[in-house]
Amino acid sequence: MKLKNNVRLFITCDSGAGAGKTTASKYLSKQYGLNLLTSGLLYRMVAYKLLASKKTVNDTSFLKKITKNINSKLLNNAKLYSPKVTAYTSKIAKIKKVRLLLKNYQKKFAKKRLVVIEGRDIGVLFPKSDIKIYFKCSLKIAAKRRFKEFRKTDKNITLKDVKRDLRSRNLTDTKRKNSPLRVPKGAVIVSTSSISKKEMFRRISRIVEKKLLLKYGRNY
């Protein structure tokens, strides 16, 4: 669906690990022509740059430099998903200084006419977004989905490992002091534990088109 030039739309998608926010955001981006930002990639990029340069988060000038020069090419890097980067990302994501620097980029991105941003605190960071969606999924189902995905590149990984890591990551994000994971005020909750991907797409499409109808009538 191509939205008309008069339409402005800003959607935020939040969830814990493996609940569906990334899949949903990619669908919304394609379906409605929205500019997509996966906020987790920003933290992965910072972690990767710090590790590659052997710098630490205490080097504020270096942090400012790398967060000021973010671009899509930097975020489209398979090395951002290495186990080492993933582990370090969880650590630096708790740090207020890092979050504040990346918030500037996210706020700039959000000024585009058509936007969907997904992450773990986006609905809270942007309380005035047009639509806030929060995805929920049982740990058991989320772990199975992630295990199937990870097995494509790592034949040694076990379901037990994936489940343990998801539980740990969600607990860390929920308990962190700065921008903890929580359901944003006014968010629509979509449970993905027992529905297909196709059904999830139908549900979020109804949410979006209901909002567009209220905001623009039939003129969208």
Side-chain angles (χ1 to χ4, degrees):
M1 177 185 292
K2 183 175 174 58
L3 298 176
K4 293 184 177 179
N5 292 334
N6 65 306
V7 174
R8 297 189 68 87
L9 183 62
F10 180 16
I11 303 173
T12 60
C13 295
D14 290 297
S15 79
K21 66 181 179 298
T22 301
T23 299
S25 298
K26 287 179 179 179
Y27 167 78
L28 290 170
S29 174
K30 185 176 180 180
Q31 179 71 3
Y32 300 101
L34 310 180
N35 295 284
L36 170 63
L37 174 63
T38 298
S39 66
L41 288 178
L42 300 176
Y43 294 94
R44 286 179 177 274
M45 185 277 295
V46 171
Y48 171 73
K49 288 287 188 180
L50 288 172
L51 290 169
S53 61
K54 294 183 168 55
K55 301 281 188 179
T56 72
V57 288
N58 295 322
D59 192 333
T60 303
S61 61
F62 183 74
L63 276 179
K64 287 182 177 178
K65 180 181 177 181
I66 61 176
T67 54
K68 187 178 180 181
N69 296 304
I70 299 171
N71 58 57
S72 56
K73 186 177 180 180
L74 285 174
L75 300 179
N76 188 25
N77 183 349
K79 293 180 180 179
L80 300 186
Y81 292 94
S82 75
K84 195 173 181 180
V85 170
T86 298
Y88 195 44
T89 298
S90 295
K91 293 180 180 179
I92 67 162
K94 303 175 190 176
I95 300 171
K96 186 176 182 180
K97 176 168 56 178
V98 175
R99 301 195 74 84
L100 287 174
L101 287 170
L102 291 177
K103 184 188 289 187
N104 294 330
Y105 179 84
Q106 292 172 82
K107 287 193 171 183
K108 183 179 178 181
F109 190 92
K111 290 180 180 179
K112 297 183 180 185
R113 185 172 67 87
L114 302 172
V115 177
V116 56
I117 305 181
E118 60 111 331
R120 292 169 174 248
D121 67 338
I122 302 303
V124 176
L125 182 59
F126 295 103
K128 295 184 179 179
S129 57
D130 295 300
I131 301 169
K132 295 186 282 288
I133 307 175
Y134 187 90
F135 297 88
K136 282 190 172 181
C137 184
S138 71
L139 179 62
K140 182 179 179 180
I141 298 300
K144 284 183 178 180
R145 289 173 180 167
R146 279 294 172 89
F147 174 67
K148 186 177 180 181
E149 178 185 332
F150 291 164
R151 282 282 289 177
K152 294 175 183 177
T153 54
D154 184 357
K155 298 299 181 184
N156 295 319
I157 199 166
T158 67
L159 178 58
K160 186 178 180 180
D161 290 337
V162 174
K163 191 173 183 180
R164 183 190 64 241
D165 290 345
L166 289 190
R167 183 189 291 111
S168 175
R169 188 176 173 193
N170 286 337
L171 182 62
T172 298
D173 287 342
T174 303
K175 299 294 184 182
R176 72 185 176 214
K177 185 178 179 181
N178 298 304
S179 299
L181 172 66
R182 66 176 186 269
V183 180
K185 186 178 180 180
V188 180
I189 297 175
V190 176
S191 176
T192 62
S193 296
S194 58
I195 62 174
S196 66
K197 193 182 294 186
K198 191 174 181 180
E199 176 58 26
M200 179 181 72
F201 292 161
R202 277 198 294 263
R203 291 189 187 186
I204 60 178
S205 290
R206 286 198 294 266
I207 292 167
V208 172
E209 287 168 32
K210 181 179 179 181
K211 181 65 179 182
L212 288 170
L213 188 62
L214 285 170
K215 194 174 179 182
Y216 295 100
R218 296 289 177 184
N219 190 36
Y220 64 82

